[in-house]
Amino acid sequence: PNGAIDPGFTPPVAVVIPAFNEEKVIAACVASVMRSDYPDFHVYIVDDGSTDRTAEVIRDLIATNPRLHLLHEENAGKWHAANLALSKIDTPIFVVADADSIFLPDTIRWLVQPFRDKKVGAVAGLVEVGNRVNILTDFQHQEYMVTQNVLRRAHEFFDGILVVPGAVGAWRTKAVRESGGFSGETITEDADLTVAVHRAGYRVKFEERARSITEAPVTTRAFLRQRLR
């Protein structure tokens, strides 16, 4: 049920952050997650074979916080990194965040609420553009708002949400394991798993109050590269 937060529903949560060459943004991302007002969570950062200082930055953060964990693998892709974390966690729910996204303090709390319904297998949050610096990023902001607030709400009504965004999404661990985990068959692992969770008999919900701030492409070239993918 949508509505107010049930303060009594706070199952343990794992936050998974796959990271490949993210030394410039990973600290801000982790700091935002650690500011969460949620009582019971651990953070698993998966260094996907980075060639920059990502692992060193994470180790410095871990030194001061026992709730942070670093997993390391040879570069195998985001889907593989997510599966590595999935093999280590024992929480009933896990959240996936992009390494360049910023969570608000109540993001995890809102993501978790729909899981009060045992039929819910995944929850999509709302992605906001944080770098509205030119007309291209302004248009992307408007697009994000329309596609999420209008289209995703319509998809939810018909139980037809096809993508839980990598920047802010939550998953029932049992549902993901029943669905075979993250797939490397295509380059859109988030969409593949969302469809698999539907097929396993679960519902996918949208919670617009669970927000993540992300950086949109600033140049036309970067924008086209993202859309081609």
Side-chain angles (χ1 to χ4, degrees):
N2 286 344
I5 281 177
D6 174 1
F9 185 71
T10 54
V13 169
V15 181
V16 175
I17 309 174
F20 174 67
N21 289 354
E22 304 282 8
E23 66 175 350
K24 292 178 179 161
V25 293
I26 190 68
C29 172
V30 171
S32 76
V33 172
M34 297 311 294
R35 284 193 295 270
S36 296
D37 62 12
Y38 198 78
D40 189 358
F41 69 95
H42 278 250
V43 180
Y44 295 81
I45 308 152
V46 186
D47 174 30
D48 184 30
S50 296
T51 54
D52 64 357
R53 293 186 60 258
T54 296
E56 291 170 48
V57 172
I58 298 166
R59 282 193 199 98
D60 289 343
L61 297 172
I62 287 175
T64 58
N65 200 311
R67 286 193 295 171
L68 290 178
H69 310 276
L70 172 62
L71 304 175
H72 181 80
E73 66 171 10
E74 297 305 313
N75 182 240
K78 186 178 174 184
W79 69 276
H80 199 275
N83 278 338
L84 175 62
L86 185 61
S87 72
K88 305 287 185 187
I89 65 175
D90 57 4
T91 57
I93 295 164
F94 69 96
V95 171
V96 179
D98 280 344
D100 61 352
S101 56
I102 300 292
F103 272 27
L104 304 184
D106 60 354
T107 297
I108 296 176
R109 200 178 279 274
W110 280 118
L111 278 174
V112 166
Q113 285 301 298
F115 289 104
R116 286 182 287 176
D117 180 348
K118 292 283 193 291
K119 295 189 180 78
V120 172
V123 177
L126 182 82
V127 184
E128 282 190 31
V129 174
N131 60 329
R132 292 163 64 187
V133 295
N134 60 19
I135 193 166
L136 182 61
T137 50
D138 273 339
F139 279 158
Q140 287 175 89
H141 171 72
Q142 299 302 331
E143 178 202 20
Y144 276 40
M145 291 300 106
V146 170
T147 56
Q148 293 177 101
N149 285 329
V150 180
L151 294 179
R152 194 163 279 156
R153 181 142 331 285
H155 291 158
E156 181 187 44
F157 182 78
F158 294 106
D159 193 28
I161 293 176
L162 294 179
V163 183
V164 172
V168 56
W171 306 84
R172 190 181 296 280
T173 309
K174 177 172 172 278
V176 171
R177 289 191 172 134
E178 284 174 17
S179 306
F182 290 87
S183 162
E185 288 182 17
T186 75
I187 55 174
T188 52
E189 67 286 323
D190 308 323
D192 291 354
L193 182 56
T194 306
V195 172
V197 166
H198 275 296
R199 282 189 182 138
Y202 292 89
R203 295 177 67 85
V204 178
K205 305 293 280 183
F206 170 51
E207 177 49 77
E208 78 275 12
R209 290 164 292 193
R211 297 183 173 225
S212 170
I213 315 299
T214 194
E215 301 273 300
V218 177
T219 65
T220 308
R221 175 175 290 196
F223 172 76
L224 290 173
R225 189 163 58 237
Q226 181 202 54
R227 293 309 160 101
L228 193 60
R229 175 180 180 272

